[in-house]
Amino acid sequence: MKETFTTDHLDNRHRFDAWRDAVCSRLIKAEARQVQSGAFSGSFGYSMLGHVDIAHHVSQTALVWQRTPECIRRHPNHDLYLGYVRSGQGTLRQNENQSRVSAGDVVIYDAATPFDFAMDNVAINIVHLPRQMIEKEAPAIARLAGKTLDLSRPGMTSLKQLLQEAFIFHAECENGFLAEQFANTLINMISVSVNLQKSDDVLKPDLYSRVVSYLRQNLQEADLTMAQIANAHHVSPRTISRVFAAHGTTPMNFVWQERLLACRKALAEGKARNITQVALDHGFSDMSHFSLAFRKAFGCTPSSLLRQTES
């Protein structure tokens, strides 16, 4: 079912805040501000294409979206997003990458790390890409965060055409099986286009990226060990340790933090009614240690967060 929102019926002083809240509630929590005060006009649309979330937003002014470290801490989200710029121009900065974007460009941005996206009269179509799903097919996609995709590479012409069709496709009027086929085709086309980008970093993702993807897919395994991680990547445990040390952490600390974030997300979204089961489902076996670690990480207990969602 498609949802649409426009600021046309609102008093101008409330337009920007209402539009920003509509976008953030469906896409990604981020801070947004107008570059200059004055009249604002915008619209936002959201729908499901099979199992894929797609959206578009239009803003007839200059503004800046920022996913800050504080925003990431308060609203964890590890997914990626693909944007197809229909009109306007802007600048995207993320992970030491900076790209000028204009009509026809396709960009990738990552909710897991800070970004700054300045837009000037931009209309953009957006595809939400759950990280675990997209990294199975395009394991180095996160390396493209903050970059525009090379439109001269194979697959890009077909991808842009498919993106345009996805946003006029009325899934609610079609057979559910066909809508799922369309969604799968779109995800496959995105994956192929990403993998065919010319960068060697994309064609040959580094060990850290591959291990991170592997760990996120196996968080539920309580007995995950260094030996198991190393064997899965045909290297020694010492090599795995050195790779993570270069990123200021250890494999097991990374797993621990990811499990806590996953538990918090499940509780905050009301997807759980039993704290013990949530912990077990995400690889924790010691409830006492889980509660202490959760409180240290987020400043509240799992039970207090559960009560908030139930109230």
Side-chain angles (χ1 to χ4, degrees):
M1 181 176 179
K2 291 191 176 183
E3 301 176 17
T4 58
F5 172 84
T6 178
T7 61
D8 292 347
H9 65 289
L10 300 175
D11 185 282
N12 184 65
R13 58 183 173 172
H14 301 307
R15 287 184 174 188
F16 181 74
D17 289 343
W19 176 82
R20 176 199 59 208
D21 292 345
V23 176
C24 286
S25 67
R26 280 301 192 184
L27 283 179
I28 178 175
K29 298 290 186 182
E31 298 175 5
R33 59 180 174 81
Q34 288 181 267
V35 174
Q36 296 179 332
S37 60
F40 176 83
S41 177
S43 62
F44 173 72
Y46 168 87
S47 62
M48 292 290 295
L49 176 59
H51 61 283
V52 177
D53 296 344
I54 60 176
H56 71 270
H57 66 72
V58 179
S59 58
Q60 297 178 1
T61 186
L63 55 90
V64 177
W65 287 99
Q66 290 180 309
R67 176 89 167 149
T68 64
E70 174 63 16
C71 190
I72 292 172
R73 187 188 70 79
R74 293 175 57 195
H75 307 286
N77 181 345
H78 298 295
D79 293 339
L80 294 111
Y81 296 78
L82 179 143
Y84 174 42
V85 182
R86 290 159 42 205
S87 62
Q89 60 186 359
T91 302
L92 173 62
R93 300 181 183 87
Q94 186 169 36
N95 296 346
E96 300 182 357
N97 297 320
Q98 177 173 316
S99 299
R100 289 288 299 168
V101 300
S102 57
D105 282 335
V106 179
V107 298
I108 300 289
Y109 51 103
D110 186 351
T113 60
F115 67 72
D116 183 301
F117 202 167
M119 300 179 174
D120 189 2
N121 293 291
V122 164
I124 185 170
N125 291 351
I126 299 166
V127 181
H128 177 194
L129 303 169
R131 194 178 208 105
Q132 184 170 331
M133 175 189 70
I134 194 64
E135 286 189 338
K136 285 182 179 179
E137 304 300 328
I141 187 172
R143 284 181 166 263
L144 291 173
K147 294 184 179 181
T148 57
L149 299 190
D150 183 349
L151 300 180
S152 68
R153 294 297 295 161
M156 290 304 301
T157 300
S158 297
L159 173 60
K160 290 176 65 175
Q161 181 64 37
L162 198 60
L163 286 168
Q164 293 182 61
E165 293 176 354
F167 285 85
I168 60 174
F169 184 84
H170 295 284
E172 65 275 12
C173 300
E174 303 289 346
N175 179 283
F177 174 74
L178 297 178
E180 284 292 338
Q181 277 194 320
F182 197 131
N184 289 333
T185 300
L186 177 61
I187 293 301
N188 289 337
M189 194 70 245
I190 291 172
S191 301
V192 168
S193 299
V194 165
N195 290 335
L196 285 171
Q197 292 293 297
K198 198 169 184 179
S199 170
D200 288 340
D201 289 339
V202 174
L203 296 176
K204 298 179 181 179
D206 66 9
L207 180 60
Y208 177 77
S209 297
R210 287 188 283 120
V211 175
V212 163
S213 179
Y214 171 83
L215 294 177
R216 285 181 172 142
Q217 294 174 32
N218 292 276
L219 292 178
Q220 73 283 359
E221 295 191 23
D223 58 349
L224 195 62
T225 65
M226 281 289 292
Q228 181 180 343
I229 297 168
N231 289 338
H233 294 85
H234 311 291
V235 296
S236 69
R238 186 176 180 181
T239 296
I240 297 290
S241 295
R242 284 202 305 267
V243 167
F244 275 77
H247 288 78
T249 187
T250 68
M252 303 320 295
N253 185 60
F254 177 87
V255 169
W256 188 265
Q257 294 302 318
E258 289 290 306
R259 285 172 173 167
L260 288 172
L261 287 169
C263 288
R264 182 192 183 193
K265 186 173 187 291
L267 291 169
E269 294 180 352
K271 295 179 179 179
R273 291 292 179 265
N274 184 296
I275 293 172
T276 298
Q277 193 58 52
V278 169
L280 292 174
D281 287 346
H282 293 88
F284 290 101
S285 56
D286 188 317
M287 295 303 104
S288 177
H289 286 171
F290 166 67
S291 295
L292 289 172
F294 192 98
R295 183 166 189 170
K296 182 177 179 180
F298 306 121
C300 64
T301 63
S303 57
S304 65
L305 185 57
L306 182 61
R307 285 195 296 272
Q308 290 177 22
T309 61
E310 292 176 339
S311 60

